[in-house]
Amino acid sequence: NAGVTQTPKFQVLKTGQSMTLQCAQDMNHEYMSWYRQDPGMGLRLIHYSVGAGITDQGEVPNGYNVSRSTTEDFPLRLLSAAPSQTSVYFCASSYSTGFSGNTIYFGEGSWLTVV
Amino acid sequence: AQSVAQPEDQVNVAEGNPLTVKCTYSVSGNPYLFWYVQYPNRGLQFLLKYITGDNLVKGSYGFEAEFNKSQTSFHLKKPSALVSDSALYFCAVRDFGQNFVFGPGTRLSVLP
């Protein structure tokens, strides 16, 4: 009963380094997304995808890159890490098919610190 | 554009007392409204949602929420709070583009 799996759980990066946060879901969900959570700001959408080969920007996309080569995987890449990217990152997925009432399911989060 | 407000950063309630966590929303068209709970160092867990039908929605762990269209509210309630209910609660609305818009969150503390 895996659901949405994120790796790594914790990561410390130096400014300027790049890394990839992995996200995989086993529920055959079309829709996948990445959020960042910062104190007092709730969750903000970084990028999202409505199916393999389709990605789009959310509210705060700068400094991040995504791809969706398969239905299951949706990795988030930090191109050149900055201290402002210190945050908790959540991957989430849901069925799509045009029905906005579908529930979205979250991974357990990735805690990223950029020093 | 869709938006969600949670007017209280923090709600404190004594164990055994009823609790309410407030949420108001702004959407164009029919609202699809959700409540999620986040425990420390964990991801968000789905509690309940309103799509259509009965204005009182029942969810997990004894929680319920009341949809009020005229007041554009979707308050989360529980008749008797438990210490284990202490967590961060998020209200969310889903827009036509499939993306969720989350409120800033309300921290619930249930005091023994």
Side-chain angles (χ1 to χ4, degrees), chain A residues 9 31 35 37 40-43 45 48 90 94-96 98-104 106-108 111, chain B residues 32 34 36 38 41-44 46 49 51 88 90 94-105:
Chain A
K9 180 83 170 181
Y31 177 88
Y35 292 85
Q37 183 180 22
M41 303 189 73
L43 280 81
L45 182 65
Y48 67 97
F90 289 99
S94 80
Y95 288 112
S96 182
F99 176 51
S100 295
N102 289 317
T103 302
I104 195 167
F106 285 82
E108 289 293 293
W111 274 253
Chain B
Y32 297 91
F34 299 76
Y36 285 82
Q38 185 181 31
N41 301 318
R42 302 294 301 277
L44 279 71
F46 170 72
K49 66 181 177 183
I51 301 173
L88 189 56
F90 289 97
R94 194 167 197 180
D95 67 20
F96 298 118
Q98 302 292 324
N99 293 323
F100 277 70
V101 175
F102 286 87

Side-chain angles (χ1 to χ4, degrees), chain A residues 7-36:
Chain A
T7 56
K9 180 83 170 181
F10 301 99
Q11 182 72 49
V12 178
L13 282 179
K14 293 182 178 179
T15 298
Q17 285 185 319
S18 62
M19 77 157 298
T20 299
L21 299 178
Q22 301 291 345
C23 176
Q25 53 89 12
D26 61 358
M27 297 173 281
N28 202 30
H29 285 167
E30 300 96 336
Y31 177 88
M32 296 185 74
S33 56
W34 277 101
Y35 292 85
R36 59 177 290 172

Side-chain angles (χ1 to χ4, degrees), chain B residues 45-112:
Chain B
Q45 298 179 27
F46 170 72
L47 277 179
L48 50 80
K49 66 181 177 183
Y50 173 82
I51 301 173
T52 187
D54 194 349
N55 290 342
L56 186 64
V57 179
K58 294 189 183 297
S60 305
Y61 312 120
F63 283 93
E64 57 190 26
E66 186 170 11
F67 171 67
N68 188 316
K69 188 172 183 178
S70 63
Q71 297 185 2
T72 61
S73 67
F74 189 55
H75 299 333
L76 181 71
K77 299 180 179 183
K78 188 173 183 181
S80 179
L82 300 173
V83 172
S84 57
D85 293 329
S86 298
L88 189 56
Y89 290 81
F90 289 97
C91 183
V93 62
R94 194 167 197 180
D95 67 20
F96 298 118
Q98 302 292 324
N99 293 323
F100 277 70
V101 175
F102 286 87
T106 298
R107 188 163 300 281
L108 173 67
S109 292
V110 181
L111 308 174

